[in-house]
Amino acid sequence: MRKFLLATTAAAVVLTLTGRVFAETNLQLLLRKSITVIDQPQTTGQGSGQSSAETAKPAEPAAKPTPVELSPLSQQLKELAETRLSQYVPREQDRAGVLAFYRGRNFAPLWAGDGKAQPQAAQAAGYLAKVAADGLDPADYPAPKFDGADPAKLAASELSMTNAVLTFARHASIGRVAFTRASGAVYYDQKAPDAADVLGKLAATNDVAATLDSYQPQHPAYKALKTQLAAARSGKPAKVDSGPAIVAPEARKETNKDKRKPKTAKDSEPESKPAGATVDSIVANMERWRWMPHDLGEAYVMVNIPDFTLKVVQNDKTIWQTRIVAGKVGNQATPLLTETMKYITVNPTWNVPPSIINNEYLPALARDPGALARIGLKMGHNADGSIRIYQPPGERNALGRIRFNFPNRFLVYQHDTPDKKLFDQTVRAYSHGCMRVQNPDKYAEVLLGISQPEDRFTAERIKSMYGRGERTIQLKKHIPVYITYQTAFVDDAGQQQARADLYGHDKEITRILHNERRVADVPVPRSYSNSGSRPNRVASRASRRDDFESWGSGSSSYGGGFGWGGRGGGFRQSSESSFRFGTW
């Protein structure tokens, strides 16, 4: 019995101690769990009913997207585009756009399929095969064959097709012949279409041919030339009005006897003979349309040098037209350009260009000191000490009563003239580069009627401003000015017209297309300080367009400085900032 009691007591002691240990252990666990719950951030919104233990679990890492496996063709296209693209797209400016386009579609081909061409490729190849209708050569845009199942060959064909359509889009947009290669007396502010944008449009369309054709000029005058080209190639061209066709005389060195002989308008007039539009001349004209902006605007001024005319167009209709006198054949040729008419000067001062001072007036003064005074010219000195000869405003001023200003890098403008008899001539190539306008007061009325009709300017009101003081009328709405060279065109009556190649631009474009085709679209760097018709390959930077944006602002006087071809007069603001000004 005693042994039993001792055993029972020992068991009780053990149970008591064990329970205390378990209790302490459970208490510690409870406290730890409470601390853990307190440390967890509070949750709100959806899922707030989850337990504390569930909230404490760390978030599962996001699953990585499974990479899309490229097809054998796409894999080959990726490799070529990323490592050997220059072999298939030679033009460096296009390569970044091509690579961006294909990367954006994970190198899915646009033209190639499984051993054959996609429908888009067939449409593009069909269109490019017919571009001769636009005066282009299909051989410049070869379409590869998408035959066989070799992914490497198909990828190479894919990039070759891409290069063909990009080359066409660029030629259609800005010209097969770089304008700088054709002449130093031409400038257009061009921008080639972006490669990725071209490919994106072709990928998104159901009509590849129409998309490619949209890069060609859409102007009715261009489309009329396209029709005329087809007729000329058929051997049955339509009847053409040859108008004042001109053949420029061969230049010869002036003798001392020539210098002493008095000059007349007849002496300066180029010879004339009948001319017709040939295939080459039509192609050259279509090429020059590609140089120009393809959207001419709602209202604009267009000069056609070989036709010696100026017209104002609004809503695709000619609302006014007049005769002009253009630049002489040779280094005084009127340049081809696009700019905007910004202001009109009434009662302008004429500053004689340095070339005229040196070549004509100083020799005349040496022979007769009173020669300049008799024609209303005055002499002074510029700030740099050079001789300044100028003519104050007045009826005998060489610029007449009005000057029309569209600041440009050639520094030419349009103006009135006191010598009205030249407008009676059929061929009117007599100026030093600028354009003389037959009816300038009416021209001002038409321009201001477009720019600011609320001001109600009329020719009579313009004439009432004639006097001695120079006055400036700012155009509230600038109007585009296009100086063009159209030897083949269709007039407003629908009659096909042809004019002779006065400055030789047709001949030069034809020569380049026939003899320099491989590099015809490569621009030639120019300084635009020489107006000669042959390329002047120089590395000097052309004058910035911004240099001429301040014309007409503030009070101004005209001083020295050379214009295009070394013949321009100076244009100086009261701030003494010197701007070169064009010839008359």
Side-chain angles (χ1 to χ4, degrees):
M1 183 66 181
R2 185 177 180 182
K3 290 182 180 180
F4 173 76
L5 290 173
L6 288 173
T8 302
T9 303
V13 171
V14 172
L15 288 173
T16 302
L17 293 174
T18 304
R20 186 176 297 172
V21 172
F22 282 138
E24 289 177 355
T25 302
N26 289 336
L27 179 59
Q28 290 174 358
L29 290 173
L30 180 61
L31 288 173
R32 289 175 184 171
K33 189 176 292 186
S34 299
I35 292 171
T36 303
V37 171
I38 292 171
D39 287 343
Q40 297 303 315
Q42 299 295 319
T43 58
T44 58
Q46 186 176 0
S48 60
Q50 292 178 339
S51 67
S52 299
E54 291 175 337
T55 305
K57 292 180 180 179
E60 292 292 335
K64 294 182 179 180
T66 303
V68 177
E69 185 176 352
L70 297 180
S71 68
L73 174 55
S74 294
Q75 185 62 48
Q76 288 293 327
L77 182 57
K78 182 177 186 295
E79 180 180 347
L80 292 183
E82 292 183 340
T83 62
R84 288 183 285 167
L85 187 57
S86 60
Q87 295 181 21
Y88 303 95
V89 182
R91 189 170 181 265
E92 182 180 358
Q93 298 92 322
D94 288 339
R95 292 200 285 267
V98 170
L99 187 57
F101 170 76
Y102 281 110
R103 279 178 174 167
R105 53 194 284 121
N106 202 27
F107 295 95
L110 174 60
W111 314 110
D114 295 329
K116 61 180 181 179
Q118 298 278 23
Q120 293 96 322
Q123 292 181 44
Y127 178 85
L128 295 176
K130 300 176 182 178
V131 295
D134 286 276
L136 298 173
D137 187 348
D140 293 329
Y141 322 104
K145 295 182 179 180
F146 294 88
D147 52 2
D150 184 355
K153 291 183 179 179
L154 289 173
S157 296
E158 170 79 19
L159 292 177
S160 296
M161 189 72 195
T162 289
N163 186 63
V165 297
L166 291 178
T167 303
F168 167 79
R170 184 176 75 257
H171 288 171
S173 297
I174 63 175
R176 176 64 183 86
V177 174
F179 67 80
T180 56
R181 188 171 290 275
S183 173
V186 182
Y187 181 80
Y188 294 103
D189 189 8
Q190 296 179 330
K191 184 179 180 182
D194 178 72
D197 182 64
V198 173
L199 296 173
K201 289 180 179 178
L202 292 170
T205 186
N206 292 323
D207 193 339
V208 171
T211 301
L212 289 173
D213 194 63
S214 69
Y215 290 98
Q216 294 277 22
Q218 301 300 312
H219 195 277
Y222 177 85
K223 294 182 178 180
L225 285 173
K226 188 172 179 177
T227 300
Q228 194 173 353
L229 178 61
R233 283 174 168 164
S234 71
K236 299 178 181 179
K239 183 180 179 181
V240 177
D241 183 349
S242 60
I246 307 134
V247 173
E250 291 292 328
R252 66 180 180 87
K253 188 174 182 180
E254 189 176 36
T255 65
N256 290 331
K257 182 178 180 180
D258 292 330
K259 293 178 181 179
R260 291 193 297 269
K261 182 181 177 181
K263 295 290 190 300
T264 65
K266 187 70 176 176
D267 295 327
S268 302
E269 182 173 346
E271 300 171 358
S272 300
K273 75 174 185 179
T278 65
V279 169
D280 283 342
S281 68
I282 296 170
V283 168
N285 278 271
M286 296 177 79
E287 182 65 11
R288 286 191 292 271
W289 272 102
R290 282 187 278 268
W291 292 349
M292 293 171 56
H294 290 196
D295 183 0
L296 301 183
E298 180 181 302
Y300 57 87
V301 174
M302 181 170 285
V303 169
N304 184 1
I305 296 170
D307 194 43
F308 304 105
T309 55
L310 176 155
K311 65 181 180 180
V312 180
V313 179
Q314 189 171 30
N315 297 324
D316 297 325
K317 294 183 179 179
T318 300
I319 61 173
W320 187 75
Q321 182 167 319
T322 193
R323 293 183 173 189
I324 65 162
V325 172
K328 299 174 185 176
V329 174
N331 286 338
Q332 295 173 342
T334 298
L336 311 186
L337 57 88
T338 295
E339 269 300 345
T340 55
M341 187 76 69
K342 292 182 172 64
Y343 68 98
I344 298 170
T345 305
V346 182
N347 307 317
T349 295
W350 179 50
N351 287 275
V352 181
S355 61
I356 298 178
I357 292 176
N358 295 326
N359 298 331
E360 300 178 28
Y361 286 172
L362 291 182
L365 281 173
R367 294 190 299 268
D368 181 1
L372 298 185
R374 286 196 299 272
I375 58 175
L377 294 176
K378 297 184 178 182
M379 182 182 294
H381 289 86
N382 295 308
D384 60 2
S386 61
I387 294 176
R388 179 194 179 203
I389 297 177
Y390 65 98
Q391 192 173 31
E395 60 184 1
R396 292 197 299 170
N397 187 283
L399 304 184
R401 293 292 193 174
I402 309 178
R403 184 180 65 233
F404 302 90
N405 308 280
F406 44 99
N408 58 86
R409 64 185 56 217
F410 295 104
L411 313 166
V412 295
Y413 44 85
Q414 297 162 352
H415 62 90
D416 183 18
T417 177
D419 193 358
K420 304 291 187 181
K421 292 185 294 184
L422 291 178
F423 292 110
D424 295 330
Q425 302 289 332
T426 301
V427 178
R428 299 183 290 278
Y430 302 114
S431 84
H432 289 72
C434 289
M435 292 139 278
R436 307 175 194 174
V437 181
Q438 184 176 22
N439 299 299
D441 41 17
K442 182 64 178 179
Y443 183 32
E445 174 188 316
V446 173
L447 292 177
L448 293 168
I450 295 172
S451 171
Q452 47 230 62
E454 68 279 3
D455 292 340
R456 299 182 180 180
F457 278 97
T458 63
E460 289 72 24
R461 182 180 171 187
I462 296 293
K463 290 178 181 178
S464 71
M465 299 170 67
Y466 293 169
R468 292 290 179 181
E470 189 169 286
R471 304 176 67 175
T472 297
I473 305 173
Q474 298 286 348
L475 270 65
K476 297 178 182 178
K477 177 182 179 182
H478 295 170
I479 299 173
V481 177
Y482 303 102
I483 312 300
T484 71
Y485 190 89
Q486 301 176 54
T487 57
F489 62 97
V490 174
D491 63 21
D492 291 336
Q495 177 67 40
Q496 293 184 11
Q497 299 285 338
R499 301 292 181 267
D501 190 10
L502 176 67
Y503 295 159
H505 290 325
D506 286 0
K507 183 179 179 180
E508 184 64 11
I509 290 174
T510 301
R511 184 194 68 80
I512 293 170
L513 287 174
H514 289 178
N515 301 332
E516 299 179 3
R517 194 167 197 91
R518 187 178 61 84
V519 294
D521 59 350
V522 179
V524 174
R526 289 188 179 275
S527 67
Y528 290 93
S529 61
N530 188 317
S531 65
S533 61
R534 295 302 299 273
N536 178 24
R537 305 184 183 200
V538 294
S540 58
R541 182 177 62 87
S543 300
R544 294 179 303 143
R545 181 180 300 270
D546 294 344
D547 289 345
F548 309 103
E549 290 302 316
S550 54
W551 283 24
S553 58
S555 60
S556 60
S557 62
Y558 297 85
F562 291 95
W564 73 295
R567 294 183 308 282
F571 177 84
R572 295 186 182 227
Q573 293 182 305
S574 57
S575 64
E576 295 301 314
S577 298
S578 179
F579 294 86
R580 298 178 297 174
F581 205 69
T583 63
W584 62 293

